Amino acid sequence: MEQLNFNNELSGKITLVTGGTKGTGRAIAERLLQAGATVIVTARNAPEKENSNMHFIPSDLSKAEDGQKLVSEVLSTYGRLDILINNLGSSVTPAGGFAALTDEDWESTLQANLLAPVRLDRGFLPQMIERKSGVIIHIASIQGKLPLYDSTLPYAASKAALINYSKSLSNEVTPKGVRVLTVSPGWINTTASKAWLGEIARNANSTVEEARQGVMDALGGIPFGRPAEPQEVAEFIGFLVSPRAAYLTGTNFVMDGGTVPTI
Ligand SMILES: NC(=O)c1ccc[n+]([C@@H]2O[C@H](COP(=O)([O-])OP(=O)(O)OC[C@H]3O[C@@H](n4cnc5c(N)ncnc54)[C@H](OP(=O)(O)O)[C@@H]3O)[C@@H](O)[C@H]2O)c1
């Protein structure tokens, strides 16, 4: 096995993080940068905190044409893509179970969580296969296995489909030199999560700590006693895309502090 340099192990690698301007995506982008990679991030809006070392390309990936434009821009600017992190995920549909949801709710959720990664994979894979080299990560969720029907029905179904698709894709392209992996986080303590807790607390006239406990209870408890920090998820992804994980492919890694109660 070649000698590995953990500090600069992604030097020379061209990487793209979707939804890389906020939350977990931002932490992943910073981790890749720290490992020496060239980092491209995409989202609908420019990052609030500019980082001149990252290349921001605007896109709304729920639209097929924006996905195609992104693929063309990355390949024409850099000539290739080595590592694709499909981090974008969205759950904005109303709570209230099946009857509260329209076709539009289902379609918009499937566009962002399933079809956006499917389209980007399709756009970037030919040059990865040609070079017999590349890593694709799909960020799913424990809700792919632990759905909460009252609040996130289409989100959970779309993540289950993403996990299944990721495995199929791995079976197809691993023999051609491309590793494909899924990471299914549990609750992550992003800025958006913190704001959401504040909102729950305000609406229920409770403290943020009580709201936090309420969310953990709804998940059936988190044995670790807290959500993951975005940097903890990013650290794991930094490992998965590195040469240290050269034999890993086709696996769905659950990273949830023990939340899912089954094996
Ligand atoms: N947070 C959690 O507790 C949790 C738990 C399990 C799994 N996950 C998964 O982890 C991943 C990251 O979630 P997060 O909570 O860290 O995200 P987040 O903080 O909500 O950030 C979402 C990112 O995606 C971008 N984005 C949203 N819609 C987009 C679109 N249509 N096209 C392009 N970019 C778009 C956002 O920027 P703009 O708004 O500017 O576009 C932002 O950069 C997702 O796949 C999520 O499902 C999260």
Side-chain angles (χ1 to χ4, degrees):
M1 196 174 157
E2 64 177 298
Q3 197 65 36
L4 301 173
N5 176 355
F6 289 6
N7 288 331
N8 226 10
E9 61 187 351
L10 298 182
S11 173
K13 298 291 183 196
I14 312 294
T15 68
L16 169 65
V17 185
T18 68
T21 58
K22 292 177 197 156
T24 315
R26 175 81 184 190
I28 295 168
E30 283 168 357
R31 179 64 184 80
L32 299 181
L33 208 55
Q34 190 195 349
T38 296
V39 180
I40 308 155
V41 293
T42 188
R44 291 166 301 184
N45 307 291
E48 271 174 32
K49 266 194 296 172
E50 286 286 351
N51 182 334
S52 56
N53 294 318
M54 289 180 199
H55 178 179
F56 170 70
I57 303 177
S59 69
D60 179 350
L61 292 177
S62 60
K63 296 181 181 151
E65 60 274 22
D66 278 27
Q68 275 159 12
K69 266 195 252 161
L70 177 64
V71 171
S72 302
E73 186 166 345
V74 169
L75 295 182
S76 65
T77 307
Y78 295 95
R80 65 174 204 282
L81 186 75
D82 298 300
I83 296 169
L84 170 59
I85 315 284
N86 285 295
N87 164 76
L88 160 64
S90 167
S91 179
V92 290
T93 55
F98 75 92
L101 298 162
T102 62
D103 275 9
E104 287 70 32
D105 293 324
W106 278 97
E107 274 169 18
S108 62
T109 307
L110 287 166
Q111 283 291 347
N113 296 322
L114 179 63
L115 295 177
V118 165
R119 288 192 286 254
L120 289 189
D121 295 351
R122 193 166 59 216
F124 286 117
L125 266 166
Q127 49 84 37
M128 290 183 176
I129 291 170
E130 199 180 319
R131 294 183 290 109
K132 298 186 177 56
S133 170
V135 186
I136 294 178
I137 304 283
H138 297 117
I139 308 291
S141 163
I142 53 167
Q143 291 207 38
K145 286 168 173 278
L146 191 73
L148 300 175
Y149 67 82
D150 178 50
S151 52
T152 55
L153 206 155
Y155 175 78
S158 67
K159 292 294 193 180
L162 182 65
I163 294 167
N164 186 293
Y165 154 75
S166 185
K167 181 65 180 173
S168 288
L169 188 67
S170 164
N171 290 343
E172 182 181 354
V173 302
T174 297
K176 297 173 180 170
V178 182
R179 297 194 292 120
V180 182
L181 292 159
T182 307
V183 176
S184 288
W187 185 20
I188 308 169
N189 192 28
T190 58
T191 309
S193 283
K194 287 179 203 158
W196 174 63
L197 271 191
E199 201 181 305
I200 295 175
R202 267 192 307 281
N203 290 342
N205 210 11
S206 67
T207 64
V208 169
E209 201 36 59
E210 282 164 343
R212 185 179 160 95
Q213 191 56 50
V215 171
M216 291 203 284
D217 291 346
L219 288 167
I222 302 180
F224 220 91
R226 63 166 178 83
E229 291 302 320
Q231 291 74 15
E232 291 173 318
V233 179
E235 187 56 35
F236 184 50
I237 287 166
F239 163 71
L240 289 180
V241 301
S242 79
R244 287 178 282 150
Y247 193 63
L248 295 182
T249 193
T251 308
N252 173 28
F253 293 97
V254 174
M255 189 178 184
D256 66 348
T259 306
V260 175
T262 52
I263 55 170

